[in-house]
Structure formats: C-alpha cells, structure tokens
Amino acid sequence: MKKDLGVKQAVFPMPVLMVAAYDENGKPNVMNAAWGMISGMEKVSLFISEPHKTTKNIRKTKAFTVSIADVAHMEAADYVGIASGNDTEDKWERSGLHETKSAHVNAPVLEEFPVCIECELDEIIEGDNHAVIGKIVNVCAEESVLDENGNVDPSKLNALVFDNFQSGYYVVGEKVGTAWDAGIPLMK
Amino acid sequence: MKKDLGVKQAVFPMPVLMVAAYDENGKPNVMNAAWGMISGMEKVSLFISEPHKTTKNIRKTKAFTVSIADVAHMEAADYVGIASGNDTEDKWERSGLHETKSAHVNAPVLEEFPVCIECELDEIIEGDNHAVIGKIVNVCAEESVLDENGNVDPSKLNALVFDNFQSGYYVVGEKVGTAWDAGIPLMK
C-alpha cells in the first residue's frame, strides 16, 4: 500500500552536470544542473530556465559543454549551483575551476572534470516545456578514466549522484549487473 | 589533456526508469528507460521513440507512470528492457511484476517498486527532438522508504544506476554532502 506524497520531482538518481558556456566577450560561466539527460543518440536536453546566465550565454554563443561532476570537486560543483553569474561578477574566479576552449565548439572545456560533452545549440524549446537542446559534436575524456579499450570506465569517474528528495550528494557504489544480460533468464 | 571519443551518450549517472501504461483494453505494459528526467516542477520528459509499445499505449490512454527500479528487481527491470510488448504477447506476465490501477490517472502503479510518479500525458513533441512529456499528478511511495518527516529517503530505495558507456547497473553508495551547503565556503 503506497502513500500519496503529492507532486514531487521523484526521479532518482540524477546526475550532477556542469553546464558551461562563454558570454559574448569570451568570459566563461558554469552552472550546476541535475535536470538534464541524453535525449537522442546525438542530443542532450537541459531543463534550465531562461533567467540563468548560462541560458543567456548559450543564446549568444550557440554552444555549451556538459561535464560530469566528481566527488573531488563537490565544493566547486555546489558553489556554481548557489552563486549566479547574473549578480556575482567573479563567480568563475571564485569557483577555482579552469578551462580551455573546446577544439570543436565555442564553449569552455572544464579542466577539473574528467568527461566533457561538447555541444552546438540545436534548439531552445519555448513555453511550458522549455528545454535547451544540444547536438553532441564530441565527447572528450581524461586517459585516467578510460579502460583498456578506450571506453570510459564509470567506476573511475567518482561521479556525484544527486537526489531531488533531500538534495543530497552521493557516490556511485558497486556494479551489480549488465543491461541486456541480467534479464535473460526471463526470456526463456 | 583530454582525448576525443567522438559522439557518446555521456551523461552519468542515469536512472533506471520503469515506464508503464495500459493499452486500449486495460492490459499493462512496462518498459525500461534510462533517458528520462524531471523537466520542470510538475513535468517529466521521456526520450522514448514512437515504435515502443509503451509510446503507442500512452498515445491511446493519455497517461503513464514512472517507477524507480531497485536492485531487488534488477532481473525484471532488465527483462522489460529486452523484450518488446510489440512482439511478446505475454511480456507483462513473464516480467513477474504486479500492478494496481492508479487512483489518479489511467495507468498502472507497479507494486514491486517503492516510488511511482503518476502522470497525465502533457505533450508529445514530434520530430528530431522527440519527447513524451508527462504532467506529474501525484507521487506515491511505500512507507518503508520514507523518513520520519514523510519524505523519501534515497538511502532506503536501493535504486539502480545505469551507465550508458558500458551498460552497467550499479547501486548508490554513501552520502557525501548536501546541495546548497557543500559550496558555501566559496561564497565567503
């Protein structure tokens, strides 16, 4: 017997995404977004509202990056979710993060985080179902998080997990199975 | 120095969502979707393509539910991602899952999973940026996963985590911080 809780944002786990873009003068800004997901083989959708400095920047530069935040940089990742580039002039400097310009799009690749999705702006959906949609042009990653086949090994990411129930940050624990494999017994 | 990997679906962690709907005869079906996220205070967006039986069902009944898959039911959760309701007539029965009709929408609440988001269909975005968007009407949860204040305690969910790099399932590990708190030192 389940209990009614009303309207809640009850997806779990959520990622901790670092969304970064330049302004019109090439000054970097970055924000923390949990409400973002792959939305197609070459697409990522971010549910970030219009007033964010990052949304304004993306409208101007038509590009952004999405990095996966890790435990080692939780303080900076959380800070960029508290402070706003709209009213904190030195937000980028205070974050302590570093960037280099992407080789593929006009957006900053954050040095501290091991995996970065480089996107061109694909579409901004207006209205009630507002979404900022990027076309993935490339993903780049540190060698230290790759396995022997050159794929990202998630166990090396130390990625943060976000919970929208109690606003907690977590680590990812042990691997318990593999998709398209765990369910095979029920196929027979 | 990061290495280019090309186009990858590089968000991590992803949830393991059980998306359930009835067909026109009230027969339940459920699928496994990692590409879904909260997209507004009262919205959830699912990036599931048109050919899925579930998408067809949602078009007919205008409702669906989203449950959070847990470790105890990994085999069933994975199975409903392998088999298709389009060609496996007894997919629901084989899954071993049970359901009761939602008190709020015309869609099945899965008994085995502790948290369920009950949605009315809000909009299906057509075209390149296809999305099935639900309006959250209610969330229901088992008492066993609630804390003393009646909120969902994520540490009690044993929620599965999905990785799109290597298609692994993981558990969530220890809590390491709290949002809007961890970053406060950098505000000063």
Side-chain angles (χ1 to χ4, degrees):
Chain A
M1 182 66 188
K2 289 183 171 72
K3 190 173 168 185
D4 287 347
L5 305 181
V7 174
K8 300 271 178 189
Q9 297 78 39
V11 165
F12 182 76
M14 289 181 179
V16 179
L17 303 176
M18 300 285 97
V19 183
Y22 292 125
D23 73 5
E24 64 273 35
N25 301 315
K27 182 178 167 64
N29 191 46
V30 55
M31 66 176 283
N32 177 325
W35 296 358
M37 184 45 68
I38 296 298
S39 53
M41 294 301 283
E42 302 193 343
K43 300 288 178 80
V44 59
S45 288
L46 304 174
F47 307 103
I48 57 175
S49 61
E50 284 293 339
H52 283 295
K53 177 68 173 169
T54 299
T55 311
K56 295 175 193 169
N57 283 352
I58 293 171
R59 281 195 177 275
K60 286 171 189 156
T61 61
K62 314 289 187 203
F64 61 91
T65 63
V66 177
S67 297
I68 300 174
D70 62 2
V71 175
H73 303 95
M74 178 175 67
E75 192 175 290
D78 192 52
Y79 168 74
V80 302
I82 300 174
S84 168
N86 284 322
D87 50 31
T88 304
E89 188 65 32
D90 61 348
K91 176 179 173 182
W92 173 255
E93 291 76 12
R94 279 183 184 230
S95 77
L97 298 172
H98 299 83
E99 55 90 22
T100 51
K101 187 175 172 178
S102 161
H104 302 91
V105 300
N106 180 23
V109 173
L110 304 189
E111 290 181 16
E112 281 77 4
F113 302 108
V115 176
C116 180
I117 310 172
E118 299 158 79
C119 300
E120 290 171 356
L121 176 62
D122 185 65
E123 183 182 3
I124 295 180
I125 295 181
E126 313 274 356
D128 257 14
N129 291 321
H130 187 270
V132 175
I133 304 175
K135 179 170 190 280
I136 303 170
V137 174
N138 185 56
V139 169
C140 58
E142 298 292 339
E143 295 263 10
S144 59
V145 299
L146 302 180
D147 67 13
E148 65 279 15
N149 300 313
N151 297 326
V152 173
D153 178 349
S155 70
K156 296 179 177 176
L157 291 179
N158 295 313
L160 285 170
V161 177
F162 182 63
D163 107 62
N164 220 140
F165 297 109
Q166 311 218 4
S167 303
Y169 291 124
Y170 305 78
V171 294
V172 176
E174 61 169 335
K175 186 172 179 177
V176 292
T178 303
W180 304 288
D181 185 14
I184 285 177
L186 294 178
M187 298 295 286
K188 290 170 184 161
Chain B
M1 184 66 189
K2 291 184 169 70
K3 192 174 167 183
D4 286 347
L5 304 181
V7 174
K8 300 272 178 188
Q9 297 76 42
V11 166
F12 182 76
M14 289 182 180
V16 179
L17 303 176
M18 301 282 97
V19 183
Y22 292 125
D23 73 5
E24 63 274 34
N25 300 314
K27 183 179 167 64
N29 191 47
V30 55
M31 68 177 284
N32 177 325
W35 296 357
M37 184 45 68
I38 296 296
S39 53
M41 294 302 284
E42 302 193 342
K43 300 288 178 78
V44 58
S45 287
L46 304 173
F47 307 103
I48 58 175
S49 63
E50 284 294 338
H52 284 294
K53 178 69 172 168
T54 299
T55 311
K56 295 175 192 168
N57 284 352
I58 293 170
R59 281 195 176 275
K60 287 171 188 157
T61 61
K62 315 288 186 203
F64 62 90
T65 62
V66 178
S67 298
I68 300 174
D70 62 1
V71 175
H73 303 95
M74 178 175 66
E75 193 174 287
D78 192 52
Y79 168 74
V80 303
I82 301 174
S84 168
N86 284 322
D87 50 30
T88 303
E89 188 65 35
D90 61 348
K91 177 180 174 183
W92 173 254
E93 291 76 10
R94 280 182 182 231
S95 76
L97 298 172
H98 300 82
E99 55 92 20
T100 51
K101 186 174 170 177
S102 161
H104 302 91
V105 300
N106 180 23
V109 173
L110 304 189
E111 291 181 16
E112 281 77 5
F113 302 108
V115 176
C116 179
I117 309 172
E118 300 158 80
C119 301
E120 291 171 355
L121 175 61
D122 185 65
E123 181 181 5
I124 295 181
I125 294 181
E126 314 274 357
D128 257 14
N129 291 320
H130 186 270
V132 175
I133 303 174
K135 181 172 189 278
I136 303 170
V137 173
N138 185 55
V139 169
C140 56
E142 298 291 341
E143 294 262 11
S144 60
V145 299
L146 302 181
D147 66 15
E148 65 278 14
N149 301 314
N151 297 326
V152 173
D153 177 350
S155 71
K156 296 179 176 176
L157 291 179
N158 294 313
L160 285 170
V161 177
F162 182 63
D163 107 62
N164 219 137
F165 297 108
Q166 310 219 6
S167 301
Y169 291 124
Y170 305 77
V171 294
V172 176
E174 62 169 334
K175 187 171 179 178
V176 291
T178 304
W180 303 289
D181 185 13
I184 285 178
L186 293 179
M187 299 294 285
K188 292 167 185 165

